[in-house]
Amino acid sequence: MKLASRMSRIESESAFEVLVRARELEAAGRDIIHLEIGEPDFATPRHIIEAAKQALDDGWTKYGPPQGLPALREAIAAGVSRTRGIQVGPEHVCVVPGGKPMIFFPMLALLEPGDEVIYPNPGFPTYESMIRFIDATPTPVPLVEERGFSFDLDAFARKLSDRTKLVILNSPQNPTGGVIPADDVRAIADMLRERDVIVLSDEIYSRIWFGEPPLSIASLPGMLEKTIILDGFSKTYSMTGWRLGYGVMPRWLVEAVNKLMVNSNSCTSSFTQRAGIAALTGPQDDVSAMVCEFRRRRDAFCEALNRVPGFRCRLPEGAFYAFANITGTGLKSKPLAGALLEEAGVAALGGTAFGEYGEGYLRFSMANSYENLMRAAQRIGEFMRLNCR
Ligand code: PLP
């Protein structure tokens, strides 16, 4: 028996592969500092956990509506309207198990084989994997370090064609930590407004930024009716394992996503959704404290990386990744990431795990303690001083 040919077009995620190797080394007695996985190292806030326990006791253990519980959709619509300066209602919201389904479902609903999808490179690997799986045509647009890891807008304009059906934006960005400047978002909206395209605006890091707040393209004139906002609870509330995310989209797309939900998941877990209401409507102090701590780690870790021979690291403006330029080492990304893991005990990802334009970079997730990040920078420094040409 052979697998379907489409399975040759779907990739795994390198972060999980590196984690497996790191765990093997740990099992053999090695001390590894984990900077590979994009998962906040904070506990889920207490009041959210209590709300989930209460929901279980209250019997929220059954199927719910495929689109999501009305009370959660109300809370999401109110929150998204307030934070993005737009007007959306619960009828525009689909609750799904995590952010990832909101990448897959719209693609399944919209794309025919051969349709072109523009997306950032380096970028979250699921974008390209899913585009290929569906047999659409990947059209990567490079992000440019000198532009704060925003797009090369000329390249963006050149890649747009009559076959472009979907454009993926991600800000704040994984893996670069870049935030697309407001002027660039406006320029992109100007390029797309008159076209028959949908924008998937991946705003999963919407609450984690350190400078200028990210601008959602949905808030610009004429863009709300052609934008899907993807957001969720994984990063903001340290809820990666709860699997709770959502999309906000035009009504005609809601129907399509609902059908995909009915046939794949039936619904998102009901008690998890009750916890989601507590997350959105309860105190936000834990979120502020987490962002503060990420800022402290970012400042110290990037400064330390900038002292490593051959490394150069811009201060990320959002998310919790340091995307260090390693071209000064004369080494390629993947072998250097491998050597750092095997020889220095620091697990990081080569930039090419996020696409070809990630060559020359390493991604470090700062979802580890301040002390461990400083230890990691020291190990990397020692390794490079011994091995740099
Ligand atoms: N989008 C981006 C840019 C991400 O980095 C991630 C997770 O790492 C997701 C979406 C998926 O989030 P979730 O874990 O909620 O599925």
Side-chain angles (χ1 to χ4, degrees):
M1 177 58 83
K2 273 190 359 200
L3 291 173
S5 57
R6 73 176 75 88
M7 288 308 293
S8 66
R9 303 195 301 265
I10 193 168
E11 296 289 336
S12 185
E13 226 184 290
S14 302
F16 291 98
E17 286 164 11
V18 173
L19 179 64
V20 169
R21 178 64 190 141
R23 293 260 186 261
E24 278 171 10
L25 291 171
E26 283 175 321
R30 293 278 307 282
D31 173 44
I32 306 293
I33 304 174
H34 289 273
L35 306 184
E36 73 277 45
I37 291 282
E39 160 166 89
D41 54 314
F42 302 87
T44 302
R46 199 68 234 162
H47 69 280
I48 301 176
I49 294 178
E50 293 306 329
K53 288 182 180 168
Q54 189 63 51
L56 284 169
D57 285 341
D58 292 347
W60 292 91
T61 53
K62 308 285 189 196
Y63 291 134
Q67 194 177 340
L69 296 177
L72 177 58
R73 289 192 286 112
E74 288 275 0
I76 291 169
V80 168
S81 298
R82 191 180 62 248
T83 49
R84 275 65 167 194
I86 56 179
Q87 254 323 312
V88 290
E91 67 280 10
H92 297 110
V93 178
C94 292
V95 179
V96 289
K100 273 183 179 166
M102 209 29 81
I103 298 171
F104 194 25
F105 289 165
M107 287 193 195
L108 274 175
L110 287 167
L111 299 175
E112 303 282 3
D115 283 344
E116 292 175 3
V117 183
I118 287 186
Y119 62 101
N121 184 323
F124 188 47
T126 296
Y127 305 146
E128 184 172 327
S129 192
M130 286 299 140
I131 295 165
R132 288 190 187 281
F133 188 64
I134 288 173
D135 217 8
T137 303
T139 313
V141 176
L143 299 177
V144 187
E145 184 180 352
E146 298 71 42
R147 305 199 71 246
F149 291 112
S150 183
F151 287 106
D152 171 341
L153 289 178
D154 293 333
F156 191 101
R158 279 197 305 275
K159 294 280 177 89
L160 267 176
S161 84
D162 291 343
R163 303 227 52 180
T164 309
K165 189 88 174 273
L166 185 69
V167 171
I168 304 178
L169 305 180
N170 175 213
S171 176
Q173 226 248 351
N174 177 10
T176 66
V179 170
I180 306 179
D183 280 349
D184 285 12
V185 179
R186 288 191 196 98
I188 292 167
D190 290 346
M191 287 189 249
L192 301 182
R193 194 167 285 113
E194 303 304 326
R195 287 179 176 264
D196 195 16
V197 295
I198 292 288
V199 179
L200 175 62
S201 184
D202 184 341
E203 303 179 9
I204 196 97
Y205 298 98
S206 61
R207 299 278 294 276
I208 308 175
W209 45 271
F210 312 110
E212 286 296 306
L215 175 69
S216 175
I217 195 164
S219 67
L220 297 178
M223 294 309 292
L224 186 57
E225 48 269 36
K226 43 193 350 158
T227 302
I228 303 164
I229 297 175
L230 177 169
D231 203 341
F233 297 76
S234 298
K235 316 288 178 180
T236 303
Y237 299 102
S238 285
M239 290 174 71
T240 43
W242 295 63
R243 309 314 300 140
L244 189 59
Y246 55 86
V248 178
M249 66 200 81
R251 286 291 295 276
W252 62 273
L253 257 171
V254 168
E255 295 310 317
V257 170
N258 282 348
K259 283 189 193 154
L260 291 166
M261 267 300 280
V262 175
N263 284 284
S264 55
N265 296 290
S266 295
C267 65
T268 306
S269 151
S270 298
F271 68 90
T272 302
Q273 292 189 64
R274 296 292 300 175
I277 298 171
L280 291 177
T281 57
Q284 303 294 305
D285 324 17
D286 290 298
V287 182
S288 313
M290 177 181 76
V291 175
C292 239
E293 175 58 15
F294 276 141
R295 180 197 294 268
R296 185 172 86 100
R297 294 175 188 177
R298 170 197 80 150
D299 291 347
F301 184 61
C302 293
E303 195 186 315
L305 282 185
N306 276 319
R307 288 197 296 267
V308 173
F311 277 52
R312 192 179 74 216
C313 189
R314 281 182 77 95
L315 270 190
E317 291 178 32
F320 42 81
Y321 306 108
F323 203 58
N325 183 317
I326 50 110
T327 47
T329 66
L331 299 170
K332 294 278 189 199
S333 301
K334 199 168 176 196
L336 178 55
L340 286 177
L341 175 59
E342 302 290 331
E343 293 171 45
V346 176
L349 298 183
T352 46
F354 303 92
E356 57 178 313
Y357 299 113
E359 184 55 86
Y361 296 90
L362 291 183
R363 189 196 80 166
F364 298 95
S365 165
M366 293 181 282
N368 203 326
S369 68
Y370 182 94
E371 291 68 30
N372 279 341
L373 283 162
M374 299 320 285
R375 280 201 311 134
Q378 178 150 9
R379 286 185 187 185
I380 298 166
E382 281 161 16
F383 176 84
M384 292 312 303
R385 272 181 274 277
L386 282 175
N387 294 283
C388 205
R389 51 181 183 177

